[in-house]
């Protein structure tokens, strides 16, 4: 009975602590007290591995932030290989963009994410394409009909 009550209290703390730790003060993460930084870091550690808790900080990550990021990276490798094969190896810029999107960004949540100072980016936007000019130095235009 005592063990069950302790498990219920632990589960309640794990689900309620991230909501209670949302930032209310204007102080930055580095300027906050050591106790508050430790609380933010502890919540970030829980959100990195616990399902559903990570959705508070990264809505796309239901299974835990680290597992979600690993899944995005794995899918990006599969998509990049497929895209490279379908393009015949000619569109390497698109392949780099797919791999960048899967592997760039934050691999784990930190106390600064929990404090609201940084925004978690498990799937960042791809970088802008490099300008590769043809013979005329301009952008590619489709042929006339």
């Amino acid at each position: 009975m005592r063990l069950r009550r302790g498990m219920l209290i632990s589960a309640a703390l794990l689900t309620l602590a991230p909501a209670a730790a949302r930032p209310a003060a204007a102080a930055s993460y580095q300027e906050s007290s050591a106790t508050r930084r430790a609380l933010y870091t502890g919540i970030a550690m829980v959100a990195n591995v616990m399902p559903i808790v990570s959705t508070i900080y990264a809505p796309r990550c239901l299974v835990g932030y680290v597992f979600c990021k690993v899944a995005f990276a794995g899918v990006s490798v599969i998509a990049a290989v497929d895209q490279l094969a379908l393009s015949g190896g000619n569109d390497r810029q698109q392949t780099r963009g797919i791999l960048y999107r899967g592997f760039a960004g934050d691999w784990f949540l930190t106390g600064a994410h929990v404090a609201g100072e940084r925004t978690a980016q498990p799937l960042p936007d791809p970088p802008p394409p490099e300008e590769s000019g043809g013979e005329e130095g301009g952008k590619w235009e489709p042929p006339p009909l």
Side-chain angles (χ1 to χ4, degrees), residues 65-99:
Y65 192 84
V66 173
F67 301 122
C68 180
K69 185 62 182 175
V70 168
F72 284 154
V75 169
S76 75
V77 169
I78 294 169
V81 168
D82 184 45
Q83 191 279 331
L84 190 64
L86 288 175
S87 71
N90 293 327
D91 193 6
R92 293 186 184 194
Q93 184 175 356
Q94 180 71 22
T95 304
R96 281 189 209 105
I98 293 170
L99 290 173

Side-chain angles (χ1 to χ4, degrees), residues 45-57:
M45 289 171 56
V46 170
N48 279 325
V49 294
M50 288 292 294
I52 301 173
V53 177
S54 62
T55 59
I56 296 171
Y57 309 105

Side-chain angles (χ1 to χ4, degrees), residues 131-144:
E131 292 295 328
S132 59
E135 295 173 8
E136 301 167 6
K139 290 186 175 181
W140 180 83
E141 292 183 22

Side-chain angles (χ1 to χ4, degrees), residues 18 21-23 39-40 43-44 47 57 109-118:
R22 296 305 286 178
L39 175 67
Y40 288 151
I43 293 170
Y57 309 105
L109 295 173
T110 62
H113 291 105
V114 174
E117 194 169 297
R118 293 182 59 199

Side-chain angles (χ1 to χ4, degrees), residues 26-41:
S28 70
Y29 173 74
Q30 294 297 331
E31 294 173 357
S32 60
S33 67
T35 306
R36 185 163 293 271
R37 284 195 314 258
L39 175 67
Y40 288 151
T41 303

